[in-house]
PDB file of all heavy atoms in Angstrom:
ATOM      1  N   PHE B  93      67.242 115.516 107.191  1.00  0.00           N
ATOM      2  CA  PHE B  93      66.929 116.128 108.549  1.00  0.00           C
ATOM      3  C   PHE B  93      67.124 115.156 109.593  1.00  0.00           C
ATOM      4  O   PHE B  93      67.718 115.467 110.585  1.00  0.00           O
ATOM      5  CB  PHE B  93      65.518 116.744 108.492  1.00  0.00           C
ATOM      6  CG  PHE B  93      65.282 117.303 109.924  1.00  0.00           C
ATOM      7  CD1 PHE B  93      65.632 118.492 110.358  1.00  0.00           C
ATOM      8  CD2 PHE B  93      64.498 116.514 110.804  1.00  0.00           C
ATOM      9  CE1 PHE B  93      65.386 118.877 111.548  1.00  0.00           C
ATOM     10  CE2 PHE B  93      64.227 116.893 112.055  1.00  0.00           C
ATOM     11  CZ  PHE B  93      64.560 118.084 112.493  1.00  0.00           C
ATOM     12  N   SER B  97      69.792 115.515 112.506  1.00  0.00           N
ATOM     13  CA  SER B  97      69.501 115.938 113.778  1.00  0.00           C
ATOM     14  C   SER B  97      69.649 114.728 114.865  1.00  0.00           C
ATOM     15  O   SER B  97      70.577 114.806 115.564  1.00  0.00           O
ATOM     16  CB  SER B  97      68.101 116.358 113.763  1.00  0.00           C
ATOM     17  OG  SER B  97      67.228 115.380 113.282  1.00  0.00           O
ATOM     18  N   TRP B 177      72.256 122.716 114.988  1.00  0.00           N
ATOM     19  CA  TRP B 177      71.386 122.775 116.213  1.00  0.00           C
ATOM     20  C   TRP B 177      71.564 121.546 117.042  1.00  0.00           C
ATOM     21  O   TRP B 177      71.716 121.590 118.191  1.00  0.00           O
ATOM     22  CB  TRP B 177      70.028 122.971 115.671  1.00  0.00           C
ATOM     23  CG  TRP B 177      68.926 122.658 116.693  1.00  0.00           C
ATOM     24  CD1 TRP B 177      68.714 123.377 117.850  1.00  0.00           C
ATOM     25  CD2 TRP B 177      67.959 121.662 116.621  1.00  0.00           C
ATOM     26  NE1 TRP B 177      67.693 122.737 118.502  1.00  0.00           N
ATOM     27  CE2 TRP B 177      67.104 121.668 117.815  1.00  0.00           C
ATOM     28  CE3 TRP B 177      67.678 120.568 115.726  1.00  0.00           C
ATOM     29  CZ2 TRP B 177      66.196 120.821 118.129  1.00  0.00           C
ATOM     30  CZ3 TRP B 177      66.663 119.670 116.009  1.00  0.00           C
ATOM     31  CH2 TRP B 177      65.962 119.811 117.222  1.00  0.00           C
ATOM     32  N   GLY B 180      73.937 120.203 119.939  1.00  0.00           N
ATOM     33  CA  GLY B 180      73.903 120.666 121.331  1.00  0.00           C
ATOM     34  C   GLY B 180      72.670 120.109 122.046  1.00  0.00           C
ATOM     35  O   GLY B 180      72.426 120.401 123.150  1.00  0.00           O
ATOM     36  N   VAL B 181      71.931 119.268 121.297  1.00  0.00           N
ATOM     37  CA  VAL B 181      70.641 118.811 121.848  1.00  0.00           C
ATOM     38  C   VAL B 181      70.983 117.523 122.781  1.00  0.00           C
ATOM     39  O   VAL B 181      71.605 116.575 122.355  1.00  0.00           O
ATOM     40  CB  VAL B 181      69.678 118.418 120.734  1.00  0.00           C
ATOM     41  CG1 VAL B 181      68.492 117.579 121.254  1.00  0.00           C
ATOM     42  CG2 VAL B 181      69.070 119.590 120.034  1.00  0.00           C
ATOM     43  N   ARG B 182      70.473 117.648 123.982  1.00  0.00           N
ATOM     44  CA  ARG B 182      70.754 116.449 124.851  1.00  0.00           C
ATOM     45  C   ARG B 182      69.519 115.529 125.060  1.00  0.00           C
ATOM     46  O   ARG B 182      69.652 114.491 125.582  1.00  0.00           O
ATOM     47  CB  ARG B 182      71.115 117.016 126.258  1.00  0.00           C
ATOM     48  CG  ARG B 182      72.612 117.427 126.223  1.00  0.00           C
ATOM     49  CD  ARG B 182      72.930 118.438 127.217  1.00  0.00           C
ATOM     50  NE  ARG B 182      73.954 119.387 126.945  1.00  0.00           N
ATOM     51  CZ  ARG B 182      75.316 119.201 127.125  1.00  0.00           C
ATOM     52  NH1 ARG B 182      75.687 118.218 127.708  1.00  0.00           N
ATOM     53  NH2 ARG B 182      76.143 120.056 126.608  1.00  0.00           N
ATOM     54  N   LYS B 183      68.349 116.158 124.592  1.00  0.00           N
ATOM     55  CA  LYS B 183      67.159 115.241 124.710  1.00  0.00           C
ATOM     56  C   LYS B 183      66.546 114.911 123.283  1.00  0.00           C
ATOM     57  O   LYS B 183      66.113 115.934 122.649  1.00  0.00           O
ATOM     58  CB  LYS B 183      66.095 115.951 125.494  1.00  0.00           C
ATOM     59  CG  LYS B 183      66.500 115.992 127.042  1.00  0.00           C
ATOM     60  CD  LYS B 183      65.398 116.510 127.889  1.00  0.00           C
ATOM     61  CE  LYS B 183      65.831 116.600 129.365  1.00  0.00           C
ATOM     62  NZ  LYS B 183      65.744 118.011 129.968  1.00  0.00           N
ATOM     63  N   LEU B 184      66.528 113.707 123.041  1.00  0.00           N
ATOM     64  CA  LEU B 184      66.050 113.393 121.553  1.00  0.00           C
ATOM     65  C   LEU B 184      64.645 113.704 121.280  1.00  0.00           C
ATOM     66  O   LEU B 184      64.279 113.852 120.120  1.00  0.00           O
ATOM     67  CB  LEU B 184      66.435 111.900 121.384  1.00  0.00           C
ATOM     68  CG  LEU B 184      67.906 111.455 121.188  1.00  0.00           C
ATOM     69  CD1 LEU B 184      68.082 109.946 121.045  1.00  0.00           C
ATOM     70  CD2 LEU B 184      68.523 112.120 119.964  1.00  0.00           C
ATOM     71  N   ARG B 185      63.843 113.833 122.393  1.00  0.00           N
ATOM     72  CA  ARG B 185      62.496 114.110 122.012  1.00  0.00           C
ATOM     73  C   ARG B 185      62.228 115.566 121.511  1.00  0.00           C
ATOM     74  O   ARG B 185      61.340 115.773 120.890  1.00  0.00           O
ATOM     75  CB  ARG B 185      61.599 113.797 123.251  1.00  0.00           C
ATOM     76  CG  ARG B 185      61.862 114.692 124.450  1.00  0.00           C
ATOM     77  CD  ARG B 185      60.934 114.275 125.697  1.00  0.00           C
ATOM     78  NE  ARG B 185      61.558 114.650 126.915  1.00  0.00           N
ATOM     79  CZ  ARG B 185      61.527 116.001 127.244  1.00  0.00           C
ATOM     80  NH1 ARG B 185      60.766 116.880 126.636  1.00  0.00           N
ATOM     81  NH2 ARG B 185      62.081 116.259 128.444  1.00  0.00           N
ATOM     82  N   HIS B 186      63.240 116.474 121.784  1.00  0.00           N
ATOM     83  CA  HIS B 186      63.212 117.783 121.142  1.00  0.00           C
ATOM     84  C   HIS B 186      63.187 117.648 119.576  1.00  0.00           C
ATOM     85  O   HIS B 186      62.619 118.479 118.856  1.00  0.00           O
ATOM     86  CB  HIS B 186      64.448 118.591 121.685  1.00  0.00           C
ATOM     87  CG  HIS B 186      64.191 118.989 123.127  1.00  0.00           C
ATOM     88  ND1 HIS B 186      63.125 119.205 123.712  1.00  0.00           N
ATOM     89  CD2 HIS B 186      65.223 119.130 124.082  1.00  0.00           C
ATOM     90  CE1 HIS B 186      63.325 119.491 125.000  1.00  0.00           C
ATOM     91  NE2 HIS B 186      64.678 119.376 125.193  1.00  0.00           N
ATOM     92  N   ILE B 187      64.047 116.661 119.174  1.00  0.00           N
ATOM     93  CA  ILE B 187      64.069 116.468 117.723  1.00  0.00           C
ATOM     94  C   ILE B 187      62.831 115.972 117.145  1.00  0.00           C
ATOM     95  O   ILE B 187      62.340 116.515 116.131  1.00  0.00           O
ATOM     96  CB  ILE B 187      65.271 115.495 117.417  1.00  0.00           C
ATOM     97  CG1 ILE B 187      66.561 116.219 117.756  1.00  0.00           C
ATOM     98  CG2 ILE B 187      65.257 114.953 115.994  1.00  0.00           C
ATOM     99  CD1 ILE B 187      67.888 115.310 117.748  1.00  0.00           C
ATOM    100  N   ASP B 188      62.170 115.078 117.863  1.00  0.00           N
ATOM    101  CA  ASP B 188      60.878 114.611 117.540  1.00  0.00           C
ATOM    102  C   ASP B 188      59.933 115.807 117.327  1.00  0.00           C
ATOM    103  O   ASP B 188      59.014 115.850 116.339  1.00  0.00           O
ATOM    104  CB  ASP B 188      60.390 113.713 118.649  1.00  0.00           C
ATOM    105  CG  ASP B 188      59.776 112.433 118.085  1.00  0.00           C
ATOM    106  OD1 ASP B 188      60.220 111.924 117.148  1.00  0.00           O
ATOM    107  OD2 ASP B 188      58.730 112.008 118.573  1.00  0.00           O
ATOM    108  N   THR B 189      59.899 116.745 118.268  1.00  0.00           N
ATOM    109  CA  THR B 189      59.035 117.889 118.309  1.00  0.00           C
ATOM    110  C   THR B 189      59.271 118.690 117.009  1.00  0.00           C
ATOM    111  O   THR B 189      58.294 119.044 116.319  1.00  0.00           O
ATOM    112  CB  THR B 189      59.140 118.644 119.525  1.00  0.00           C
ATOM    113  OG1 THR B 189      59.118 117.804 120.601  1.00  0.00           O
ATOM    114  CG2 THR B 189      58.162 119.782 119.593  1.00  0.00           C
ATOM    115  N   VAL B 190      60.543 118.997 116.737  1.00  0.00           N
ATOM    116  CA  VAL B 190      60.774 119.757 115.577  1.00  0.00           C
ATOM    117  C   VAL B 190      60.431 119.041 114.297  1.00  0.00           C
ATOM    118  O   VAL B 190      59.877 119.716 113.444  1.00  0.00           O
ATOM    119  CB  VAL B 190      62.333 120.233 115.605  1.00  0.00           C
ATOM    120  CG1 VAL B 190      62.643 120.842 114.233  1.00  0.00           C
ATOM    121  CG2 VAL B 190      62.646 121.035 116.748  1.00  0.00           C
ATOM    122  N   PHE B 191      60.618 117.800 114.310  1.00  0.00           N
ATOM    123  CA  PHE B 191      60.301 117.022 113.147  1.00  0.00           C
ATOM    124  C   PHE B 191      58.735 117.129 112.896  1.00  0.00           C
ATOM    125  O   PHE B 191      58.286 117.385 111.777  1.00  0.00           O
ATOM    126  CB  PHE B 191      60.731 115.565 113.327  1.00  0.00           C
ATOM    127  CG  PHE B 191      60.407 114.749 112.101  1.00  0.00           C
ATOM    128  CD1 PHE B 191      61.132 114.858 110.877  1.00  0.00           C
ATOM    129  CD2 PHE B 191      59.328 113.791 112.141  1.00  0.00           C
ATOM    130  CE1 PHE B 191      60.841 114.163 109.805  1.00  0.00           C
ATOM    131  CE2 PHE B 191      59.151 113.024 110.990  1.00  0.00           C
ATOM    132  CZ  PHE B 191      59.865 113.232 109.891  1.00  0.00           C
ATOM    133  N   ARG B 192      57.981 116.994 113.946  1.00  0.00           N
ATOM    134  CA  ARG B 192      56.554 116.940 113.730  1.00  0.00           C
ATOM    135  C   ARG B 192      56.016 118.370 113.437  1.00  0.00           C
ATOM    136  O   ARG B 192      55.075 118.488 112.702  1.00  0.00           O
ATOM    137  CB  ARG B 192      55.932 116.409 115.157  1.00  0.00           C
ATOM    138  CG  ARG B 192      54.812 115.359 114.876  1.00  0.00           C
ATOM    139  CD  ARG B 192      54.417 114.867 116.237  1.00  0.00           C
ATOM    140  NE  ARG B 192      55.285 113.735 116.499  1.00  0.00           N
ATOM    141  CZ  ARG B 192      55.273 113.244 117.869  1.00  0.00           C
ATOM    142  NH1 ARG B 192      54.503 113.766 118.739  1.00  0.00           N
ATOM    143  NH2 ARG B 192      55.938 112.226 118.105  1.00  0.00           N
ATOM    144  N   PHE B 193      56.523 119.378 114.123  1.00  0.00           N
ATOM    145  CA  PHE B 193      55.842 120.639 113.962  1.00  0.00           C
ATOM    146  C   PHE B 193      56.546 121.560 112.960  1.00  0.00           C
ATOM    147  O   PHE B 193      56.060 122.673 112.697  1.00  0.00           O
ATOM    148  CB  PHE B 193      55.783 121.319 115.342  1.00  0.00           C
ATOM    149  CG  PHE B 193      54.819 120.651 116.195  1.00  0.00           C
ATOM    150  CD1 PHE B 193      55.346 119.809 117.267  1.00  0.00           C
ATOM    151  CD2 PHE B 193      53.482 120.549 115.992  1.00  0.00           C
ATOM    152  CE1 PHE B 193      54.479 119.057 118.116  1.00  0.00           C
ATOM    153  CE2 PHE B 193      52.650 119.875 116.827  1.00  0.00           C
ATOM    154  CZ  PHE B 193      53.102 119.120 117.910  1.00  0.00           C
TER     155      PHE B 193
END
Side-chain angles (χ1 to χ4, degrees):
Chain B
F93 174 81
S97 55
W177 163 68
V181 169
R182 283 154 212 269
K183 291 188 180 123
L184 287 175
R185 64 186 158 77
H186 291 325
I187 288 169
D188 225 39
T189 308
V190 170
F191 183 69
R192 223 172 277 165
F193 295 104

